[in-house]
Amino acid sequence: MTKFMTLKDAVATYVKDGDSIALEGFTHLIPFAAGHEIIRQKRRNLSLIRMTPDLIYDQLVGAGCVRKLTFSWGGNPGVGSLHRVRDAIENDYPCALETVEHSHAAMANAYEAGAAGLPLAVFRGYVGSELPLVNKEIASIICPFTGEQLAAIPAIKPDVGIIHAQKADRAGNVLIEGIIGVQKEVVLSAKRSIVTVEEIVDNLEVTPNACVLPAWTIDAIAVAPEGAKPSYTLGYYDRDNNYYKQWDNISRDRDSFNQWLESHVFGQGDV
Amino acid sequence: MTTHNDTTQYTSAEMMTITAARALTNNMTCFVGIGLPSEAANVARLTHAPDVTLIYESGTLQTKPEVLPLSIGDGELCESALTTVSVPEMFRYWLQGGHIDVGFLGTAQIDRFANLNTTVIAANHPEGGKNGAHSYANPRVRLPGGGGAPEISTNAKEVFITVKHSKRTFVKDVDFITTIGFGRDGKGRDNLPNIGRGPSVVITDLCILKPDPATKELIVTSLHPGTTKEDVIEATGWEIKFADSLETTPVPSEKELHVLRELKARTEKAHSAQEAI
């Protein structure tokens, strides 16, 4: 059953050095506040998983929290490169970064397999792509009924799944609206889960088919208003595009990144 | 290529977008990539193809954005969609399930067999081989990666590609096949079950290219007005061939130009009012 906690306590309790962690949100509901708390608590040797690493993983990688990154599209959306990730890959700064590269279809299938309790995902993918040459996790399997060769990759089952959502009710049930990405799959596939929400409400006022995670699927809920900024939360705030553009300059240079880290992460109060 | 043509009052970029838009028809279901494909697909929807079904990989089905999305998860896509499904459902049911007529893609690098590279630029790296498998770990330029493209290209019934023409982009062999066109030898789709027919057209700011029916090598089928064969030869990294019946691409209509410019103006206005970091 879920507990309401401060984000500081939730990260302290559930995120350990060396964990595999998926902070998801498909360019929407990106859990920035939770990522910054992980940086503040100086977690190390994390194995991070995320379809679109986005700025939040650029920040975690630049802060030295990460040793391994699993991803399927690693850019600054609409802007360009993730410079801290590139510096880690190309120059081992601030530490070496191992990468595991997939396609979106592969990762979406692998999250779903994780949520379904399966050891692997099977899908029609990677045909003719050279990604299997550079990612040893990509295998193939023969359909026992048709003989068709299909792609197979391991299910994603992170130690910790972290998402942001619009709201929780007082019992801890969580409503996710809009682009729901792989939010449900991450929580259900993870051993432990943290959900940050914009607010707690008396009644979620859901329609019958709404995307709701019951309280008993979540370990910790932390209230984090604007917890997905500079990405966006449908119904609450838009994406801050200037932040994404300015990140290109801030992250390009190690010194300006480290200054940003001091003033915007370590210099900020805990949520 | 110049960015503006004074005699006909449209830019080569506008020519490219509008030509790409014309490739889409009203009854198609199109899986749209962000950037140039998204711009073209929405121009199609706002001109000759009002009922074209646009689908983005973030899960937005049948979306009708007023302004162009800046990222794949832009709220505009969700709020103007018929419905929004999860990303696993999008890739499993809608794409892999065979509901997509056209995958509309951009790329960083494309080769003569329409293979796409959005992973690494590596060919000139001193420690890199010609084949991506050998130079992947030590790239000259690390690109964002495949995203949805590898499966869009094989699970959609056909693929349209739009990309600016330059020697850096149009190479004989891509450094790395992120997304298959027709493979290293043009035969990469042969004898495979359940695979789409692949790229059927490539639209650039200079011309239209289509795969040769026999060899699958891209050949120029139409030159945009004001473009010469030499322009295309100069901007292509292999010995480009031209169709016997080489056509001239029709110029953009007033309506198409108006719709495109209004769309871009609306987009710029919507995305400019933002707070500082």
Side-chain angles (χ1 to χ4, degrees):
Chain A
M1 184 53 77
T2 191
K3 279 186 199 153
F4 290 99
M5 302 173 93
T6 64
L7 184 51
K8 185 180 179 185
D9 287 347
V11 168
T13 305
Y14 292 111
V15 179
K16 306 296 179 195
D17 286 352
D19 276 349
S20 64
I21 309 181
L23 296 103
E24 273 292 354
F26 199 79
T27 79
H28 171 226
L29 297 172
I30 300 177
F32 272 91
H36 291 177
E37 185 56 36
I38 291 170
I39 294 174
R40 271 194 292 276
Q41 295 193 19
K42 297 195 163 92
R43 289 293 179 273
R44 289 293 178 268
N45 297 314
L46 301 177
S47 178
L48 291 186
I49 305 157
R50 202 177 136 73
M51 294 178 70
T52 59
D54 208 279
L55 307 195
I56 187 59
Y57 277 16
D58 211 36
Q59 294 165 357
L60 279 152
V61 167
C65 303
V66 190
R67 67 166 175 82
K68 182 178 174 185
L69 175 65
T70 301
F71 72 103
S72 46
W73 192 88
N76 178 344
V79 180
S81 290
L82 295 177
H83 299 293
R84 293 297 92 221
V85 169
R86 277 184 63 174
D87 203 14
I89 292 173
E90 293 166 11
N91 307 308
D92 295 347
Y93 180 89
C95 52
L97 182 67
E98 180 191 345
T99 58
V100 177
E101 184 166 4
H102 279 292
S103 66
H104 279 348
M107 286 192 72
N109 274 280
Y111 275 123
E112 198 184 57
L118 290 170
L120 85 169
V122 175
F123 61 107
R124 190 175 288 124
Y126 288 125
V127 178
S129 172
E130 290 178 346
L131 281 165
L133 300 178
V134 296
N135 178 351
K136 60 183 187 305
E137 287 189 356
I138 302 170
S140 62
I141 193 165
I142 303 293
C143 170
F145 308 107
T146 63
E148 182 179 354
Q149 181 174 305
L150 298 161
I153 66 167
I156 295 174
K157 296 180 180 181
D159 294 322
V160 190
I162 302 177
I163 62 166
H164 186 73
Q166 276 90 352
K167 48 190 138 179
D169 65 19
R170 295 190 191 284
N173 303 301
V174 166
L175 173 67
I176 309 159
E177 289 185 300
I179 289 173
I180 55 177
V182 291
Q183 305 291 82
K184 187 186 263 185
E185 288 77 10
V186 168
V187 168
L188 296 182
S189 65
K191 293 189 187 82
R192 310 184 288 277
S193 60
I194 300 171
V195 179
T196 57
V197 293
E198 289 294 323
E199 59 176 335
I200 308 283
V201 296
D202 289 329
N203 188 337
L204 292 178
E205 293 172 0
V206 295
T207 54
N209 302 106
C211 184
V212 172
L213 282 165
W216 46 271
T217 63
I218 302 162
D219 288 295
I221 295 176
V223 178
E226 303 193 338
K229 275 199 166 184
S231 81
Y232 77 105
T233 296
L234 188 72
Y236 288 81
Y237 45 89
D238 290 332
R239 183 172 115 143
D240 183 351
N241 289 314
N242 267 354
Y243 187 116
Y244 275 79
K245 285 182 194 158
Q246 289 173 32
W247 186 252
D248 192 59
N249 271 328
I250 291 166
S251 61
R252 208 176 271 274
D253 177 77
R254 291 174 185 176
D255 288 341
S256 65
F257 169 75
N258 286 323
Q259 277 169 23
W260 174 87
L261 205 56
E262 284 302 322
S263 60
H264 287 76
V265 180
F266 289 113
Q268 298 293 309
D270 309 309
V271 176
Chain B
M1 188 66 181
T2 57
T3 53
H4 208 280
N5 182 333
D6 285 335
T7 56
T8 45
Q9 298 299 311
Y10 59 86
T11 67
S12 58
E14 288 171 335
M15 181 75 205
M16 172 166 67
T17 300
I18 288 165
T19 306
R22 288 172 181 163
L24 277 177
T25 61
N26 207 27
N27 56 356
M28 285 175 168
T29 301
C30 179
F31 203 107
V32 188
I34 284 292
L36 293 175
S38 170
E39 195 174 298
N42 280 291
V43 168
R45 184 176 61 78
L46 294 168
T47 54
H48 64 279
D51 298 322
V52 67
T53 300
L54 304 186
I55 293 179
Y56 289 72
E57 66 193 12
S58 48
T60 55
L61 278 172
Q62 214 162 311
T63 183
K64 300 182 173 186
E66 266 295 301
V67 299
L68 294 171
L70 273 169
S71 81
I72 193 70
D74 202 308
E76 176 71 14
L77 292 175
C78 175
E79 287 168 89
S80 65
L82 176 65
T83 185
T84 298
V85 301
S86 75
V87 168
E89 178 177 327
M90 175 53 68
F91 281 98
R92 288 175 70 77
Y93 299 178
W94 299 95
L95 179 62
Q96 183 179 267
H99 298 282
I100 307 297
D101 296 320
V102 179
F104 211 145
L105 301 175
T107 188
Q109 219 181 35
I110 180 169
D111 68 17
R112 66 195 194 284
F113 292 120
N115 300 302
L116 310 181
N117 174 18
T118 53
T119 303
V120 286
I121 302 292
N124 296 327
H125 193 281
E127 291 168 49
K130 188 67 187 164
N131 189 320
H134 304 299
S135 49
Y136 170 83
N138 199 3
R140 187 162 62 83
V141 180
R142 174 66 236 197
L143 299 166
E151 282 74 21
I152 294 170
S153 170
T154 53
N155 288 328
K157 289 178 187 128
E158 65 182 313
V159 178
F160 298 167
I161 297 159
T162 182
V163 59
K164 280 189 182 173
H165 216 128
S166 82
K167 218 161 200 160
R168 271 177 60 193
T169 304
F170 280 72
V171 296
K172 189 177 180 195
D173 297 285
V174 287
D175 296 339
F176 186 94
I177 297 182
T178 311
T179 300
I180 189 174
F182 297 101
R184 293 281 182 199
D185 58 0
K187 296 176 179 142
R189 287 176 189 260
D190 294 359
N191 306 316
L192 285 177
N194 304 312
I195 189 166
R197 65 186 177 95
S200 53
V201 63
V202 180
I203 299 110
T204 79
D205 49 345
L206 299 182
C207 63
I208 300 172
L209 305 96
K210 292 183 178 173
D212 179 276
T215 66
K216 302 299 183 191
E217 184 173 315
L218 291 174
I219 59 172
V220 178
T221 58
S222 182
L223 287 173
H224 297 344
T227 302
T228 63
K229 282 187 177 181
E230 286 66 36
D231 291 335
V232 177
I233 291 166
E234 188 57 37
T236 307
W238 71 89
E239 281 186 36
I240 186 76
K241 292 173 190 151
F242 296 83
D244 295 336
S245 53
L246 189 62
E247 294 173 6
T248 301
T249 317
V251 297
S253 73
E254 230 169 273
K255 185 188 178 189
E256 287 167 327
L257 280 171
H258 178 73
V259 163
L260 171 59
R261 287 168 185 172
E262 287 288 303
L263 178 64
K264 295 195 83 156
R266 278 202 304 281
T267 300
E268 197 164 316
K269 192 175 170 203
H271 296 317
S272 61
Q274 296 281 340
E275 44 190 290
I277 194 164

